[in-house]
Each structure stands twice: as structure tokens, then as C-alpha cells.
Amino acid sequence: MSEIVIPDAERRAVTKFLRRMLPILVLMLLVNQMDRTNVGFVQDELRADVGVSATAYGLGAGLFFIGYALFEVPSNMLLERFGARVWLTRIMITWGLVIVAMCFIHNVTMFYVLRFLLGVAEAGFFPGVLLYFTQWLPDSSRGRANAIFLGGSATAYIVTGPITGALLEMHGVGGFAGWRWMFVLEGLFSIVVGIVAGFFLVSRIEEARWLTREEKDALASAVARDEEARTRAPKVSRLKLILHPQVALLTGVFFAMALTGYAITFWLPSLVDDIGGLSSFQVGLLSAIPWICAVIAMYTVSHYTDKAPDRRPYLAIALVLSAVGTFLATLGSPWFGLAALTLAAVGGKCAASLYWPMAQSGLDLKIAAPGLAVVNSIGNLGGFVSPFLFGYLQDTTGSTKGGLYTLSTASLLAVIGVIYIKNTRGKAGGLSQTAAEAGAQRPVAS
């Protein structure tokens, strides 16, 4: 295949977009991920001050994903109507207000309502940014933007612990609990970043003052060609997609991955706290260790598997590592459990980096875009099931072991699903630019 030649004017326009827009978008995503998961660091405080049991905590953590799923599509439609500058800014300021409101939680019902509203407020942000990329960048340049943007999600897992832990150290300042200070300050920061983003984001190519007329025309023409190609894709009903064997397999595997990923995200701080004798800041620092190792492993594995003819064996190995890590976390001391969960996080993150490229190449082109949308929508419900199931099992058994056994089993079942996923990489009719673009538009394990 001959290399795609990009006109100079288009290349200059893409470079300017990446330099001007990506930094603020990455910062917004980092804050987004931090606000979504910071509740994992205050489970004990919510139990003591508000009476939130483990089951109630798990349900509240999971309700976020119900609100998110229900309003994701309407939010994306409104982004197309109002433009990214208005809508992404609105999303961020709204979720910041909800985070601030969480400092006033005084009963379980309020906890449920605010977690659901946080999902509603955040709905559409991640897919909205990826949609924004399709309005600004042609297929040939979008992969780089997606990779840089997704780096913000990976970084968020690392910085959330230390930042949140440091804010919890404010306990008693002004007579307020540390967890209330944490919600107020992180929520206010989100609002400030959202307001600042309104001065930087540009909704449409034609509105960019920092592009020359030649650059605008070249970039707009390239994006228009891609848009025309997408509109020629045939429509497939959602029911047929759900029943499609490959879509069903991919959905099942992603659901299992979401179970493990979100369980570790929401319960890791509590498990680290079981070590005992640690300050909130130290808990935050130790909670970052699994994610630091996971991010390093993720990028290393991606580098060595990008040219592999079949990603399935590597994905299976990553899922087995995740299963072994969660199982080992039930044995030994809390320190040993932290090491085991580090192994589980490494397996989970590596699985995510391998899964989405494989999913994009595993579907026929005529169902790639809608198929991946179904996979993401249904699979992400693991984010609701996982924390609730984990909390219920802890309340009924008095231990987290039951939840960890469940995660291990789910990862091993996912390995079986991987075996039956088609591999079309490197074959005629396999992944093309259209399929890659289709997957790039969907939220990738956000």
C-alpha cells in the first residue's frame, strides 16, 4: 500500500490544532477522570459520617454509569448543535458543580442522587471530544490525536491518589471533614478549568483565527472527504448488532474487563488503607503505584504488539495476569495484596490497549462503527455491576475475597471469548481506515 501524501497546508493546520487544542483537552480529561473516581478514597469517611454501607457505596459508585449511559447519545447530539466550545465547557462546569454539591452529602439517598447526576453531567464528554476530532482532523491524523488524548486518562489514575490524599489531610480545617474539603476544592478546580477552556476551544475550522485561509480550506476539504465516506456506510439495526456473534463476543470480553478495571479503581484505596498506620496522603501515594506500573506496561506492550499478526494471544495472557492478580489479592498480608493488585492492574491496562485495536479489526466494515458503539455502551455497564457486586459481597461476607474471586472468574471467562473472536489483521478485507476511524470515535475504556 502506498503511503498517504498529506498536503503541506493540511499538515500545518493539523500541527497547529494539536499544539493549541490538545493541551487543554488533555487537562480536561485528567480532571474528568479524577472527579469520577475520587469517591474511592472516601469510602471509610462516608461510612463513618453519613452511614454509607459497603453495598450502598458500591451502588452509588455504579449509579454514575447509569446516568452516563442514558444521556451519552443526547449529549453528543447537542454537541453537534451547539459546538464543542459551548457544550464541552457546559459539561465540565456542570460536573464541577455536582462535585461541589457532594460535600453536602448527609444521607445515603443524597449520595445516590448526586452520583447519578454526576453521570448525567459528564455524559458525552469523552465521546464528545472524539467526535470533535472527527470535525477537525482527517483519518490520517486522528490516530495521533487520540493517542495523546488517551494519555490524559492514563495519567489521571496516577495523579488522583496523591492529589486527593493530600486534600483529605485538610481534615478539621475550619471545622469541616477532609472529604468535604476534597469535594469542594476538586469541584471548584473543575469549574475553573471549564471556564478557561471556553476561551481556548474553537468549535469549527472556519472560526480558527490562527489558521490561514489556505490551511482552513485544505483541512476542511480533508475532513469533508472523510465525512462523505462515513455517510455511505450502510445502516444496521441495534437489535441485529446485539445478536451478531462477533459483537456479542466483543461485548462479553469488554464487560469482563470493565468489571475488573472499575472494581480496582473504586476499591483499591480501601484495600490499601487496610495496611494500617497510613495517612490519607500515604494511601493516595501507594494507590498510585499499581497505575504507574500499569501505564508503563501498557505502552511497552503496545510498542511490541503493534505489528503482531494476531493480538489475541497477547490479550489472553493479559487477561490471565489480571485473573491471577485478583486471585492472589485474597491471600497474604495487605502489602502482598497491593503487589497482587498491581499485577491485576498491569494485566487490565495491557488488555485494554490490546482489545480496542483488535475489536476494530475483528468486525466487518459494514458494521464496524455501530458495532463498536454497542460494544462500548453495553460493556461499560460493568462499571455499574462491579462496584455494587463488590460492596454487596463485602457486606454479606465481611470480606472482599468474594468480589476478588468473581473478578478472577470473569477474566478467565473472557479468555475463552477471546479465542473465538475473529482475527482479520493483515488479511484482505481486514481493518481499513474506515474501521479504524469508526472505533476511534467511541469512548475507549474511559
Side-chain angles (χ1 to χ4, degrees):
M1 183 184 295
S2 59
E3 184 177 352
I4 298 175
V5 178
I6 301 177
D8 288 340
E10 179 185 329
R11 184 182 294 108
R12 292 195 305 271
V14 168
T15 299
K16 288 182 179 180
F17 175 84
L18 296 179
R19 187 172 62 244
R20 290 173 177 268
M21 296 294 102
L22 267 186
I24 187 64
L25 290 171
V26 169
L27 175 61
M28 293 171 75
L29 177 63
L30 191 153
V31 176
N32 170 263
Q33 297 294 297
M34 182 169 63
D35 287 345
R36 176 187 297 191
T37 60
N38 56 16
V39 71
F41 291 86
V42 297
Q43 181 185 351
D44 292 340
E45 287 82 354
L46 290 174
R47 181 186 296 114
D49 295 350
V50 185
V52 177
S53 66
T55 302
Y57 166 77
L59 177 58
L63 281 173
F64 167 91
F65 296 94
I66 301 299
Y68 192 92
L70 289 174
F71 288 87
E72 178 182 347
V73 173
S75 182
N76 261 22
M77 294 172 63
L78 290 169
L79 183 143
E80 290 191 276
R81 177 178 178 181
F82 293 106
R85 179 173 177 269
V86 171
W87 199 246
L88 293 180
T89 299
R90 192 286 306 164
I91 289 175
M92 189 162 197
I93 293 174
T94 305
W95 94 55
L97 291 171
V98 175
I99 290 292
V100 170
M102 291 187 72
C103 82
F104 300 106
I105 292 174
H106 60 270
N107 57 44
V108 174
T109 300
M110 192 172 182
F111 176 59
Y112 290 159
V113 170
L114 288 175
R115 282 295 297 179
F116 177 80
L117 289 178
L118 183 63
V120 173
E122 284 193 22
F125 173 73
F126 195 94
V129 172
L130 300 185
L131 177 62
Y132 181 48
F133 287 161
T134 68
Q135 298 170 346
W136 270 86
L137 300 173
D139 293 346
S140 56
S141 302
R142 201 175 303 131
R144 182 169 35 141
N146 286 336
I148 296 172
F149 180 62
L150 290 172
S153 177
T155 304
Y157 286 103
I158 297 173
V159 304
T160 295
I163 292 175
T164 301
L167 293 177
L168 290 175
E169 294 287 338
M170 296 180 64
H171 184 75
V173 175
F176 293 101
W179 64 272
R180 297 188 189 275
W181 277 115
M182 183 269 290
F183 282 130
V184 168
L185 295 178
E186 290 189 356
L188 289 175
F189 183 67
S190 301
I191 294 171
V192 170
V193 173
I195 293 172
V196 171
F199 291 96
F200 282 89
L201 296 178
V202 180
S203 296
R204 297 171 180 81
I205 295 174
E206 191 61 32
E207 299 171 356
R209 298 179 180 179
W210 32 268
L211 292 179
T212 65
R213 171 48 56 187
E214 180 187 16
E215 291 166 348
K216 290 179 181 179
D217 291 342
L219 191 58
S221 296
V223 170
R225 286 194 298 270
D226 293 340
E227 178 65 26
E228 182 181 357
R230 287 195 294 272
T231 58
R232 291 199 299 266
K235 304 298 182 183
V236 183
S237 74
R238 194 176 183 88
L239 178 61
K240 288 183 178 180
L241 285 171
I242 294 173
L243 298 177
H244 190 282
Q246 285 300 302
V247 173
L249 278 172
L250 289 167
T251 301
V253 171
F254 182 47
F255 183 86
M257 290 167 53
L259 283 176
T260 300
Y262 285 116
I264 294 176
T265 298
F266 287 118
W267 290 87
L268 177 62
S270 177
L271 295 172
V272 171
D273 191 49
D274 289 342
I275 293 173
L278 300 174
S279 68
S280 296
F281 181 62
Q282 290 171 327
V283 170
L285 286 177
L286 289 176
S287 297
I289 292 176
W291 302 118
I292 294 173
C293 297
V295 169
I296 293 173
M298 177 182 67
Y299 286 115
T300 303
V301 168
S302 296
H303 175 74
Y304 285 104
T305 59
D306 274 348
K307 296 182 180 179
D310 189 353
R311 288 188 175 95
R312 290 177 301 176
Y314 300 99
L315 176 57
I317 292 171
L319 289 169
V320 170
L321 286 178
S322 180
V324 170
T326 50
F327 176 77
L328 291 178
T330 65
L331 309 174
S333 67
W335 284 105
F336 181 80
L338 176 61
L341 287 178
T342 298
L343 179 63
V346 166
K349 276 295 179 183
C350 289
S353 69
L354 293 163
Y355 172 82
W356 284 105
M358 186 197 70
Q360 291 164 9
S361 62
L363 292 176
D364 296 332
L365 293 183
K366 62 179 178 292
I367 64 168
L372 289 170
V374 169
V375 169
N376 180 77
S377 298
I378 299 177
N380 254 326
L381 290 177
F384 169 74
V385 174
S386 180
F388 172 67
L389 179 63
F390 213 89
Y392 174 76
L393 290 174
Q394 180 172 344
D395 269 345
T396 54
T397 65
S399 170
T400 59
K401 290 184 178 180
L404 293 169
Y405 290 145
T406 302
L407 298 181
S408 295
T409 303
S411 294
L412 292 177
L413 290 175
V415 173
I416 299 174
V418 169
I419 296 173
Y420 292 97
I421 293 175
K422 289 192 303 183
N423 175 53
T424 59
R425 196 175 193 202
K427 299 178 182 179
L431 178 65
S432 72
Q433 269 190 332
T434 304
E437 181 274 327
Q441 290 185 62
R442 302 306 307 158
V444 183
S446 63

